[in-house]
Amino acid sequence: MCGIIGYIGTEDCANLILEGLRRLEYRGYDSAGIAIITDGRFEIRRAAGKLDRLAEALRGEPVSGTIGIGHTRWATHGPPTELNAHPHRAGDVVVVHNGIIENHRVLKAELLAEGHTFSSETDTEIVAHLVSRERGRGHGLVEAVRLALLQVHGAYAIAALDRTDPETLVAAKNASPLVVGLGDGANYLASDIPAILQHTRRVVFLDEGQMVVLRRSGATFQHIATGAPFEPKVQVINWTPAMAEKGGYRHFMLKEIHEQPRAVTDTLRERVRIERGTVELDGLNLTDEQLAGFSRAVIIACGTSWHAGLVGEYLIEQFSRLPVEVELASEFRYREPCVDEKVLVIAVSQSGETADTLAAIKETQSRGSHVLAVCNVVGSSIVRLSNSNLMTHAGPEVSVASTKAFTTQIAALYLLAVKLGLARGTLQPGRAAVLLQDLIEVPSAIETVLETPASEYVALARRFGNATSMLYLGRGTSFPIALEGALKTKELSYIHAEGYAAGEMKHGPIALIDESVPSVVVCPMGPHFDKTLSNVAETRARGGAVIAVTTPSGAERIGSDADAVLVVPEAPDHVMAFLTAIPMQLLAYHIADFKGTDVDQPRNLAKSVTVE
Ligand code: F6R
């Protein structure tokens, strides 16, 4: 949601900023802009719509300069027009902003009464005016930004420039992500790492309430509240730029689906000790005694990460007998949750920046719970806030629709389930070794699923892609997989799709079935196969087409009872979710591709949901 880029150095930076913005496109946006200081004046170009429109504006009227900021805006206050696009200017100052200024009405009224005039409907323009007002009171840019931010309430990451001070780029963070890239004679700013990865791997993640002053010679850090300087923690990122590129695939999503064998392998690497039947979880700051002492676990997450949490619930309860609840962070945070120090809270998030999950974490920590983050982004807000972490090693996920993050989250939760089982004595090392062996065979089984010819999915997309409504059904861990299949379909192809526990069919959803509503039934051979087969029959009996996702022995049993079958390899029930997730992703991908929707950046969606 909104992307920020900043540069100060010796290179002409318009293209560098535009390229950085392209690498932030996945965050979702609907207008964009850039401001560069040239010979003591601002050159500002803005455009509604995609970055190509901004590139066009820059070709029409090129700009050059060695200090600048850029922004992709995801509209919150005011429609996505050129006038509302950032950067916003007031006097000698321009500002870009990610987040929401909650007290914008009060501040705007105050500024209007003082004679300030506004040219946009955004809350951001107010920040530019506040900084400009402080400049007018005689403060330098850095102090002016700090004093302006003390008047602002809300979530923000901002970057500001002053045309009379082309040696200084100031940025600050409160809630929305911001990373500083440290280069040689040049320094960078971005909302996310891939945007600056080709320039530097040395980064500092700003924490809440911190600001940075970038100059060509280096960066200095201070607290917004006091102005007091501090020494930052510099981290070296080991992602290569190629990891954030499309690598020959038509879409990031397809590339990321195909990266899953590698991503799951990386998530398991150096954590599984088959010979001893144990797991070692770096980042877990809990002893076995502490793990054994919890009375309950609560998993909090949103969207796809919530679905991974639901799979985790089955695994943790089965392996460790620890009761688990899985909660939508957006609901949980407002519910005065019943948690305390006896409850292990597991926060699952790809980005580590999801506002609802962050707020839910704070809520549980204030009640004494230990929070373990299952997260993909090192240094993200959720990782920094949590008491422990279990990193997924999916690598950068660019496509808005989450795929490899999902399977790596399940892998991390599987490891945690085994760890808990061992600590609580419900698993003996011998049994744990078997479960871990099943887990390390998952990447090659995923490879097998990925070998299914694309033509099978293309044919299904042609046959069912014009449906206006679809159902996804499953039992056991196939239920969250059905939910995930429905979510992928609706977000990518805008088809109304519902996921249900297959056993719920007869309690209502079966009324939806007719010839126009195809159902995807996740029914691998295993403990739930026979029951789910009955659901296939009930659906067919009402004229509904069925796409069965099953194993070879399941396909044999189903025979012609389904209209189409997608096959995954036979595997134990506790690893089946990894395998059935893949056809869900590929089917949704191919339907979207058939419909010609924007696969990597579906409408109205943002990769990193940093506002409520
Ligand atoms: C769907 C999707 C979203 C995210 C959700 C949570 O494909 O990607 O539903 O899963 O916005 O995001 P994270 O995991 O970053 O907290």
Side-chain angles (χ1 to χ4, degrees):
M1 242 168 218
C2 296
I4 290 178
I5 283 285
Y7 172 82
I8 179 165
T10 50
E11 269 183 64
D12 206 357
C13 64
N15 275 338
L16 182 148
I17 290 176
L18 195 62
E19 268 314 299
L21 290 178
R22 285 202 194 285
R23 293 195 164 84
L24 295 175
E25 276 193 298
Y26 71 89
R27 297 171 66 81
Y29 71 103
D30 33 41
S31 62
I34 181 170
I36 286 182
I37 302 179
T38 309
D39 299 331
R41 62 174 199 282
F42 279 129
E43 292 288 349
I44 301 177
R45 304 286 180 271
R46 301 183 297 181
K50 293 289 176 187
L51 279 174
D52 286 344
R53 303 275 301 276
L54 179 63
E56 213 173 279
L58 283 164
R59 273 196 301 276
E61 282 182 278
V63 298
S64 72
T66 56
I67 174 169
I69 51 181
H71 187 265
T72 45
R73 171 174 186 255
W74 191 77
T76 55
H77 295 73
T81 58
E82 185 180 329
L83 270 187
N84 286 332
H86 304 201
H88 288 289
R89 178 172 183 179
D92 292 334
V93 173
V94 292
V95 167
V96 292
H97 160 232
N98 170 14
I100 289 178
I101 307 297
E102 279 160 15
N103 56 339
H104 67 100
R105 280 199 187 81
V106 180
L107 292 171
K108 189 164 184 177
E110 187 183 309
L111 289 160
L112 282 170
E114 287 174 18
H116 290 256
T117 53
F118 291 83
S119 55
S120 78
E121 297 158 78
T122 64
D123 48 347
T124 306
E125 195 180 352
I126 291 155
V127 182
H129 281 269
L130 291 175
V131 177
S132 169
R133 183 167 74 176
E134 296 304 328
R135 290 287 283 130
R137 290 171 178 166
H139 299 290
L141 177 63
V142 180
E143 187 61 0
V145 169
R146 193 181 78 79
L147 293 173
L149 292 178
L150 292 181
Q151 300 159 53
V152 158
H153 304 155
Y156 58 75
I158 71 143
L161 294 177
D162 184 319
R163 68 177 182 84
T164 66
D165 182 2
E167 301 302 318
T168 310
L169 165 51
V170 184
K173 171 199 151 93
N174 189 18
S176 303
L178 210 51
V179 55
V180 176
L182 303 172
D184 206 4
N187 290 298
Y188 309 82
L189 190 71
S191 297
D192 199 1
I193 304 162
I196 52 175
L197 210 51
Q198 70 274 41
H199 305 297
T200 181
R201 304 257 181 97
R202 292 177 61 236
V203 302
V204 174
F205 297 95
L206 284 191
D207 254 323
E208 285 184 32
Q210 296 181 342
M211 55 192 284
V212 61
V213 183
L214 296 180
R215 301 210 160 85
R216 287 178 178 82
S217 53
T220 52
F221 295 80
Q222 63 182 63
H223 295 284
I224 300 171
T226 58
F230 67 90
E231 272 309 309
K233 184 173 161 218
V234 178
Q235 303 198 35
V236 178
I237 300 297
N238 58 12
W239 294 353
T240 63
M243 285 168 88
E245 300 295 337
K246 271 190 212 157
Y249 288 93
R250 284 185 56 224
H251 296 100
F252 279 110
M253 182 180 178
L254 195 56
K255 170 183 172 249
E256 288 162 6
I257 289 172
H258 282 267
E259 281 174 346
Q260 288 175 105
R262 196 269 310 144
V264 173
T265 303
D266 285 354
T267 302
L268 304 183
R269 181 164 292 134
E270 289 174 24
R271 289 173 168 167
V272 175
R273 299 277 177 271
I274 290 279
E275 62 298 342
R276 282 188 268 137
T278 58
V279 291
E280 277 168 31
L281 301 182
D282 45 311
L284 180 68
N285 299 321
L286 290 166
T287 61
D288 280 358
E289 291 66 36
Q290 286 170 309
L291 287 174
F294 288 116
S295 62
R296 193 157 65 88
V298 173
I299 299 179
I300 48 177
C302 303
T304 289
S305 298
W306 182 69
H307 297 155
L310 289 171
V311 177
E313 176 183 29
Y314 285 87
L315 298 173
I316 294 173
E317 290 194 343
Q318 192 184 336
F319 297 172
S320 76
R321 310 306 302 147
L322 181 68
V324 182
E325 289 154 37
V326 189
E327 302 277 356
L328 290 166
S330 54
E331 287 296 315
F332 186 74
R333 60 181 290 193
Y334 291 116
R335 224 177 53 209
E336 298 191 25
C338 299
V339 294
D340 55 25
E341 66 290 343
K342 298 289 281 178
V343 176
L344 173 64
V345 172
I346 305 164
V348 186
S349 173
Q350 187 285 129
S351 62
E353 300 296 345
T354 302
D356 285 316
T357 311
L358 268 167
I361 290 174
K362 289 179 191 160
E363 186 65 41
T364 59
Q365 281 177 328
S366 73
R367 288 158 202 266
S369 298
H370 182 103
V371 178
L372 165 65
V374 174
C375 190
N376 194 39
V377 181
V378 177
S380 61
S381 303
I382 286 178
V383 171
R384 278 176 288 139
L385 188 64
S386 298
N387 308 85
S388 285
N389 63 67
L390 178 46
M391 300 308 296
T392 52
H393 295 300
E397 192 179 65
V398 174
S399 172
V400 166
S402 197
T403 52
K404 60 178 179 169
F406 178 64
T407 40
T408 55
Q409 286 165 347
I410 300 175
L413 291 167
Y414 191 116
L415 291 173
L416 179 65
V418 173
K419 179 90 181 159
L420 280 164
L422 288 164
R424 293 167 59 80
T426 52
L427 282 184
Q428 298 311 311
R431 175 67 185 146
V434 173
L435 294 174
L436 292 171
Q437 183 61 39
D438 292 340
L439 181 60
I440 60 173
E441 285 171 16
V442 161
S444 84
I446 295 179
E447 300 234 10
T448 309
V449 184
L450 290 170
E451 281 161 15
T452 305
S455 55
E456 283 191 31
Y457 289 99
V458 172
L460 289 175
R462 287 197 184 127
R463 189 164 162 198
F464 298 109
N466 289 319
T468 51
S469 198
M470 290 178 75
L471 283 179
Y472 282 75
L473 307 170
R475 291 170 186 259
T477 55
S478 297
F479 165 45
I481 296 302
L483 291 177
E484 176 60 4
L487 178 63
K488 289 281 97 84
T489 298
K490 70 184 104 175
E491 67 183 335
L492 291 175
S493 59
Y494 318 145
I495 293 174
H496 170 247
E498 291 288 345
Y500 271 101
E504 272 292 295
M505 275 294 279
K506 54 193 170 300
H507 299 292
I510 200 163
L512 290 172
I513 303 281
D514 66 17
E515 300 73 24
S516 69
V517 181
S519 296
V520 177
V521 184
V522 188
C523 50
M525 183 52 75
H528 308 287
F529 180 79
D530 288 326
K531 288 265 176 339
T532 319
L533 200 55
S534 313
N535 299 117
V536 170
E538 287 158 12
T539 306
R540 287 299 284 311
R542 284 156 185 84
V546 168
I547 304 166
V549 176
T550 188
T551 53
S553 59
E556 214 167 280
R557 285 273 307 279
I558 292 170
S560 59
D561 285 350
D563 297 81
V565 175
L566 289 166
V567 177
V568 303
E570 307 286 352
D573 192 50
H574 44 262
V575 293
M576 195 48 90
F578 290 103
L579 311 186
T580 49
I582 313 298
M584 300 293 111
Q585 300 166 349
L586 284 168
L587 187 59
Y589 170 82
H590 284 285
I591 292 177
D593 197 32
F594 163 75
K595 296 193 77 170
T597 57
D598 190 343
V599 171
D600 283 330
Q601 289 165 49
R603 69 184 182 201
N604 304 338
L605 292 178
K607 182 70 182 161
S608 188
V609 186
T610 52
V611 296
E612 258 192 75

